[in-house]
Amino acid sequence: SSQSCVKCFTKVRMVEYLAEHKYKVWMRHRYSSCLDCLSELLGHGSFQVKELSLCTLMKFVELEAEHPLVEAEWKGGFTFPRELLKIVVDGLIPLNEDASLLISRFQEYMEYDDIRYFVMKAVTESIGQVMQKTKERPLPFYQQNIFSLISPINMPNKERDMVKFMVKQDNREEWKVSKLQAHKQAFEKMWLSFLKHKLPTDLYKKVLVILHDCILPYMNEPTLMIDFLTVAYGIGGAISLLALNGLFILIHQHNLEYPDFYKKLYSLLDPSIYHVKYRARFFHLADLFLSSSHLPAYLVAAFIKRLSRLALTAPPEALLMVIPFICNLFRRHPACKVLVHRPNGPEDLSEDPYIMEEKEPSESRALESSLWELQSLQNHYHPDVAQAAAILNQSLSEIEDDISGLLELSAYELFDREVKKTTTDVPLEFEPVRGLFGKKNDIFAEHFTLE
């Protein structure tokens, strides 16, 4: 009968549906097992195996984006294989080994705007999960891997520049990932979560070198970096010098107030400033910070005196830069010229009223002292240094010296300049030696000759 035929047909369809469902479930399990194996291979000893696993996983990311395993929650909604991409990101930032080579291979995928966005979200999530378990103890490999992954991120400047997406969406204008503001928020949250934890010393330097160019310009609220910069500024040495750059941007461009800033800047002046790799950057920023004519005379005098005292042990290439630097400070702050017009230095150095060890510039008594240090440099073994120091014997012009070309001056350049100097014959006026004693009318010349 017709009813029995319908029942039979329905049963067949049910069996087929159940069989297809079981097959899909089985295939999903096999796919999950495959992903597990590939994620494990990201930690393999062979780089070729890791590279192949990475490329395979990223191909799966692309295919899942085109053919989602889970339907969108609403019609016209957007889907992205975030969980799969997070597996890849976790494989790129292991805790106990350097993955910089594999990360460099992954950088080509970071050109996709959607990949970059979800990688930033995944890194932020990973930092929150991993670092809270360490109780502020640095994880050198893990943190270095994160830095290697996020430091090359090339953020777009304008929303119209965001045109490269791995996932092709029909209504991309409505997709959050296509908004520059969303990218900036993810970028800012990622860096803040990374930098709020204690870093290894060498990583502080690497972050601070790129901070002013690659991080601050792309943050919605750059002033949120003040906590990190304050910690870095208080570490001392080269790290403090590098932190100056970020603080300068926040103070001058974002009106940030930093208490006791000049006291801290003054404390950075130690013998190493003339020798460190970042000397040029430090003096460039110090020149900007001391450019205001509203600074009190005692403060500028303290900087002049300390720089002069440290100059006694500085190399010639640093002296050729710091002497014009000090002269520029005199031009900006004429009240400090009392240091020059008090030429008679103390007979005993212990009588110099300046207190070198005083951390507070106002208590250093610099204005009561004199620049006997620069007077000493007028007898320097290098003639260029002696000539540069001798300028203080004359009246300074009102036009400042341009020190930009001297900031990067190296010992090699100085030596090369001396070698290439052309010497000219100097005419000499002398009397040829005659006789035994060389006198003009020597009677012995009649009886003795020199052979």
Side-chain angles (χ1 to χ4, degrees):
S1 65
S2 59
Q3 282 188 339
S4 60
C5 289
V6 170
K7 288 181 180 180
C8 290
F9 180 75
T10 303
K11 287 182 180 179
V12 170
R13 289 296 300 272
M14 284 291 293
V15 170
E16 289 178 353
Y17 173 79
L18 290 173
E20 183 179 354
H21 178 70
K22 286 182 179 180
Y23 176 71
K24 287 182 177 180
V25 171
W26 180 82
M27 282 297 295
R28 181 69 64 86
H29 284 307
R30 301 290 70 74
Y31 178 63
S32 298
S33 299
C34 176
L35 295 181
D36 292 340
C37 292
L38 288 171
S39 63
E40 289 180 12
L41 290 175
L42 287 175
H44 197 272
S46 169
F47 174 73
Q48 286 76 13
V49 174
K50 290 193 282 192
E51 182 182 24
L52 189 58
S53 301
L54 174 65
C55 295
T56 305
L57 283 168
M58 290 308 296
K59 186 62 179 177
F60 281 147
V61 170
E62 184 179 358
L63 291 172
E64 271 200 41
E66 292 180 9
H67 310 284
L69 296 178
V70 180
E71 293 184 1
E73 296 181 2
W74 65 89
K75 187 177 181 180
F78 306 102
T79 58
F80 188 91
R82 294 184 58 177
E83 294 301 321
L84 178 54
L85 186 61
K86 189 175 185 312
I87 291 174
V88 176
V89 171
D90 289 341
L92 292 172
I93 47 177
L95 298 179
N96 301 313
E97 66 173 302
D98 181 11
S100 56
L101 195 59
L102 188 62
I103 290 171
S104 64
R105 179 66 179 84
F106 179 74
Q107 290 302 326
E108 66 178 73
Y109 298 103
M110 296 288 277
E111 295 298 319
Y112 292 100
D113 295 303
D114 47 357
I115 293 291
R116 181 177 60 246
Y117 175 80
F118 287 111
V119 165
M120 291 191 292
K121 302 283 279 188
V123 168
T124 305
E125 186 178 342
S126 174
I127 294 171
Q129 293 172 347
V130 174
M131 295 306 296
Q132 68 177 2
K133 301 175 184 177
T134 66
K135 297 180 180 179
E136 295 304 315
R137 177 174 53 87
L139 296 174
F141 282 115
Y142 176 73
Q143 289 171 302
Q144 178 59 53
N145 288 332
I146 288 181
F147 180 77
S148 300
L149 178 61
I150 66 178
S151 58
I153 288 179
N154 186 19
M155 286 286 287
N157 292 311
K158 298 179 180 178
E159 199 162 296
R160 64 170 177 266
D161 297 333
M162 300 169 57
V163 294
K164 192 174 182 181
F165 293 86
M166 179 175 281
V167 179
K168 304 298 186 289
Q169 301 285 359
D170 295 332
N171 300 321
R172 200 174 67 196
E173 292 77 11
E174 300 177 10
W175 196 24
K176 182 180 180 181
V177 180
S178 65
K179 305 297 182 184
L180 180 59
Q181 187 69 12
H183 280 252
K184 282 191 171 185
Q185 289 174 351
F187 181 82
E188 180 177 274
K189 190 174 181 181
M190 173 188 67
W191 275 108
L192 290 175
S193 64
F194 176 59
L195 297 178
K196 75 177 183 180
H197 301 284
K198 187 177 180 181
L199 302 176
T201 303
D202 61 330
L203 208 50
Y204 272 108
K205 295 179 182 178
K206 292 178 181 178
V207 171
L208 290 168
V209 165
I210 68 169
L211 184 70
H212 63 291
D213 282 334
C214 303
I215 302 177
L216 291 179
Y218 302 104
M219 295 182 66
N220 289 321
E221 293 290 338
T223 52
L224 294 174
M225 278 291 180
I226 186 59
D227 291 337
F228 167 72
L229 288 170
T230 301
V231 171
Y233 198 41
I235 290 176
I239 295 176
S240 294
L241 301 186
L242 290 171
L244 271 178
N245 222 348
L247 285 173
F248 171 76
I249 292 174
L250 295 185
I251 291 172
H252 281 259
Q253 297 182 13
H254 301 280
N255 301 319
L256 181 77
E257 292 187 7
Y258 189 95
D260 296 328
F261 175 79
Y262 284 97
K263 179 182 176 181
K264 180 62 181 175
L265 182 62
Y266 181 72
S267 69
L268 293 180
L269 301 181
D270 59 33
S272 68
I273 61 167
Y274 290 126
H275 304 272
V276 292
K277 183 169 63 173
Y278 312 108
R279 183 187 71 201
R281 180 178 296 193
F282 171 75
F283 277 97
H284 169 70
L285 292 170
D287 188 48
L288 293 173
F289 284 126
L290 296 172
S291 61
S292 174
S293 59
H294 299 292
L295 294 176
Y298 75 82
L299 178 66
V300 180
F303 275 91
I304 291 174
K305 186 64 181 174
R306 195 176 185 96
L307 287 170
S308 301
R309 181 68 61 85
L310 296 173
L312 294 174
T313 57
E317 63 273 14
L319 291 174
L320 291 174
M321 175 271 301
V322 78
I323 292 174
F325 181 91
I326 291 173
C327 290
N328 285 345
L329 292 180
F330 280 127
R331 292 183 176 100
R332 296 170 193 165
H333 308 276
C336 295
K337 287 184 179 180
V338 65
L339 297 174
V340 180
H341 300 315
R342 194 183 291 127
N344 298 323
E347 295 181 3
D348 186 354
L349 296 184
S350 62
E351 297 176 3
D352 189 344
Y354 173 67
I355 307 172
M356 181 73 172
E357 297 75 21
E358 177 58 53
K359 295 181 179 179
E360 184 64 55
S362 61
E363 304 294 331
S364 65
R365 300 176 63 189
L367 276 175
E368 302 174 28
S369 183
S370 64
L371 285 189
W372 59 264
E373 296 91 349
L374 292 189
Q375 191 173 8
S376 300
L377 291 178
Q378 293 176 14
N379 300 312
H380 197 273
Y381 70 87
H382 197 290
D384 290 350
V385 174
Q387 184 179 0
I391 195 174
L392 289 175
N393 296 335
Q394 308 167 12
S395 178
L396 291 175
S397 63
E398 294 182 2
I399 302 175
E400 291 191 9
D401 294 325
D402 182 12
I403 65 170
S404 58
L406 301 172
L407 293 174
E408 304 272 359
L409 187 64
S410 65
Y412 173 80
E413 291 176 89
L414 208 57
F415 184 80
D416 191 52
R417 184 194 301 174
E418 292 295 323
V419 169
K420 291 179 179 178
K421 274 186 179 179
T422 56
T423 57
T424 57
D425 293 331
V426 180
L428 299 176
E429 187 176 333
F430 68 96
E431 294 180 2
V433 176
R434 295 179 70 252
L436 184 63
F437 297 105
K439 295 181 179 179
K440 186 175 182 180
N441 299 317
D442 191 355
I443 192 172
F444 289 99
E446 299 176 7
H447 307 286
F448 298 94
T449 58
L450 295 178
E451 296 182 358

